[in-house]
RNA sequence: UGCCCCGUGGUCUAAUGGCAAGACGGCUGACUCUGGAUCAGUUUAUCGAGGUUCGAAUCCUUGCGGGGCAGCCA
């Protein structure tokens, strides 16, 4: 295949999946120039926490690029700091990437796989006079580094002989020295304007148990001395990372060049920021450890496991990732966009049911006592193949409290005294009487139905302004429903004054214990999702048990009435 | 203030020297047995100043604004 043809093919793939972002332009250029022959990327998380929606963007980018260019993408754990990393995190990351729908085949790697090679590389730099063992303490090292505006000064240990360095480094590895007493540093330039180039630490002493290598090592390579070489070893062509590593690129290239090994290209893009939440492992970890949420997979969390439990689909996450694009400018994507993509996906696929989350009892006064009948309902108006089902109707029903107002404002179309509405798939009913308790609380509505309107059609052609959902009291299934809202009540809690914790949305979780569901909603397992008509999309939570269903609200439906109410206030 | 990066509607992204486009959100209307969905319409943008050019969001200079970097974290 000619170069021209290859390029054309890639162009077509591109149009189908992602937009033509700057990384693809760089890749196309590299391919044209013959710098690389095929595209090989990698997703390199540190197993020190759960993955979040920001990682999803990176995963979709890296694996998506591999798909687009018919290349490959590795999964690699950047596990060079045993004090923060755990097997639990490794397991969750593997599950999350799979769930998103990506496959690394047999290319699951760990930076710790390369510890021996990395050690050899370090020795090679010492032998070239490009690395030295430094006895400065952490604090002294900081003092020698200089500041943003002043140059640093050389370490007194900088000119040690190669033999001494080799000896000391060997003894570091052998465990002769306590933590923090020595480091191996690269000999670059203490006056370099880029602080990363001022004799960066390559190895530190850390007598810690590593989740994979156990106690084999007591010295561990730093990120900068690991990442590029790992990319090189795996034959990565394009090493894509976030913006904060931009200043590390010169060092990335320096190690590769001095080592004389294969050179990948590092490209940086802007990490995802999402409104009404935080996307930083550190802060998410805080929310978990401080008990602000129930765990990493709390459905309010922007973690992949939280989003999954919330009921988001991998398809919607991928569509979202493709749409937000890839660029270098800092941005804050609107949470509404993510919500849009779940709704779009679920609208197409979710079967509809009737469920009442805040029940108000309705008695149909002219319906015969003890009688019931089955009414036909459409399962999914978006999908003709989804068929129909039957719903029981009887004299006593529940409707949503929000669907009745004793003194309705303008533009409220639902039930009110003397007003007629349609019960979805059932009959027209009219509210004749409002029953209250001693506190003035409405406890029951007494309504009459029109038998001629069975199925929801009026033979005389008269119209009603609203159709509301309902459940037959005698046939209802009880359930707990958890209503989730945004985790924070402001767009960007980190940009607000004071502690970001104080902007946590106190109403981010509302538990409804006494929900009434139509019978067809009984007996579903984890993984089941549906739409409760007029309310939103819901899924079964893993907390469900044989006797008690627990549903999570994934997303509400679009709700113009809510906007009208806001404006009326 | 040393080095690096970035400034396009309310938000995100496109336009690669040649009509500033799309998506989300908002608004209006049509349709509707979900105030859903769908459809149609609409609203709002190139940070400023110079320069190069027939022509600049795009190239150059400069100012302003935002972000990142002084871990033996990644």
């Amino acid at each position: 295949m000619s170069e021209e043809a290859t390029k054309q093919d890639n162009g077509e793939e591109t149009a189908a999946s992602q937009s033509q972002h700057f990384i693809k332009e760089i890749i196309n250029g590299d391919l044209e120039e013959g710098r690389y022959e095929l595209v090989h990327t990698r997703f390199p998380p540190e197993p020190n926490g759960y993955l979040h929606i920001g990682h999803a963007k990176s995963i979709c980018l890296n694996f998506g690029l591999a798909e687009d260019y018919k290349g490959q993408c590795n999964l690699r754990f950047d596990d060079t700091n045993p004090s923060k990393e755990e097997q639990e995190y490794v397991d969750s990351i593997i599950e999350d990437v799979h769930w998103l729908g990506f496959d690394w085949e047999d290319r699951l790697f760990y930076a710790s796989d390369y510890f021996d090679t990395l050690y050899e590389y370090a020795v090679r730099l010492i032998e070239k006079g490009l690395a030295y063992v430094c006895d400065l303490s952490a604090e002294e090292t900081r003092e020698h580094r200089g500041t943003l505006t002043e140059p640093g000064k050389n370490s007194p240990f900088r000119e040690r002989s190669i033999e001494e360095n080799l000896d000391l480094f060997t003894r570091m590895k052998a465990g002769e020295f306590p933590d923090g007493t020595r480091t191996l540093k690269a000999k670059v330039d203490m006056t370099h304007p880029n602080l990363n180039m001022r004799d960066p630490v390559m190895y530190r002493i850390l007598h810690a148990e590593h989740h994979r290598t156990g106690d084999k090592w007591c010295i561990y390579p730093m990120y900068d001395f690991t990442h590029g070489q790992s990319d090189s070893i795996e034959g990565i062509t394009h090493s894509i990372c976030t913006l904060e590593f931009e200043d590390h690129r010169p060092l990335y290239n320096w190690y590769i060049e001095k080592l004389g090994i294969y050179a990948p290209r590092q490209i940086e893009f802007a990490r995802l920021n999402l409104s009404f939440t935080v996307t930083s492992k550190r802060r998410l970890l805080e929310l978990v450890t401080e008990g602000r949420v129930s765990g990493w997979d709390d459905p309010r969390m922007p973690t992949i496991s939280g989003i999954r439990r919330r009921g988001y689909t991998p398809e919607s996450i991928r569509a979202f990732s493709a749409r937000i694009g890839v660029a270098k400018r800092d941005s804050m994507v609107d949470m509404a966009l993510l919500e849009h993509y779940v709704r779009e996906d679920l609208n197409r696929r979710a079967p509809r049911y009737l469920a009442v989350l805040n029940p108000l009892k309705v008695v149909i006064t002219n319906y015969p006592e003890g009688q019931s009948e089955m009414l036909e309902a459409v399962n999914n108006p978006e999908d003709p193949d989804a068929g129909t089902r039957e719903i029981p109707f009887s004299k006593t029903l529940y409707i949503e409290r929000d669907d009745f107002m004793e003194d309705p404002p303008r533009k409220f179309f639902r039930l009110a005294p003397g007003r007629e509405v349609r019960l979805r798939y059932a009959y027209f009913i009219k509210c004749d009487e409002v029953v209250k308790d001693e506190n003035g609380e409405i406890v029951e509505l007494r309504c009459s139905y029109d038998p001629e309107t069975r199925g929801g059609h009026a033979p005389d052609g008269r119209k009603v302004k609203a159709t509301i959902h309902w459940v037959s009291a005698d046939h209802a299934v009880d359930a707990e429903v958890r209503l989730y809202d945004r985790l924070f009540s402001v767009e960007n809690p980190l940009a607000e004054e004071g502690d970001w914790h104080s902007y946590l949305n106190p109403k981010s979780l509302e538990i409804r214990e006494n929900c009434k569901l139509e019978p067809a909603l009984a007996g579903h397992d984890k993984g089941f999702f549906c739409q409760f008509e007029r309310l939103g999309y819901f899924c079964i939570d893993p907390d469900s048990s044989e006797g008690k269903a627990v549903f999570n609200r994934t997303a509400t439906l679009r709700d113009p009435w809510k906007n009208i109410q806001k404006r009326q206030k």
Side-chain angles (χ1 to χ4, degrees), chain A residues 41 49 97 144 152 159 161 218 224 249 350 358 369-370 451 489 502 516:
Chain A
T41 56
V97 179
H144 278 74
E159 299 307 328
S161 70
C218 63
D224 285 307
R249 184 166 10 110
N358 192 8
E369 191 82 46
S489 46
S502 62
K516 304 291 183 183

Side-chain angles (χ1 to χ4, degrees), chain A residues 6 9 11 41 74 83 102 114 188 235 247 297 361 389 391 413 420 430 458 491 520 549 562:
Chain A
T6 308
D9 279 357
T41 56
N74 299 354
S83 66
F102 297 107
Y114 312 132
V188 190
D247 288 341
D297 69 341
K361 188 176 171 187
R389 69 184 185 287
I391 311 177
F413 302 150
E420 187 176 55
K430 196 162 115 190
E491 269 190 41
K562 207 164 61 188

Side-chain angles (χ1 to χ4, degrees), chain A residues 24-82:
Chain A
K24 288 192 168 184
E25 284 171 21
I26 293 171
I27 292 175
N28 290 342
D30 285 346
L31 260 18
E32 278 170 44
E33 288 170 21
R35 177 170 169 164
Y36 302 109
E37 290 193 356
L38 78 159
V39 173
H40 201 150
T41 56
R42 102 267 92 113
F43 173 64
E46 182 188 14
N48 67 342
Y50 279 64
L51 260 24
H52 56 65
I53 183 76
H55 296 105
K57 173 182 179 181
S58 177
I59 292 165
C60 292
L61 211 210
N62 278 296
F63 281 93
L65 248 14
E67 280 174 16
D68 291 348
Y69 288 94
K70 299 185 174 26
Q72 295 182 324
C73 180
N74 299 354
L75 175 59
R76 179 171 76 230
F77 289 97
D78 225 332
D79 56 350
T80 59
N81 184 358

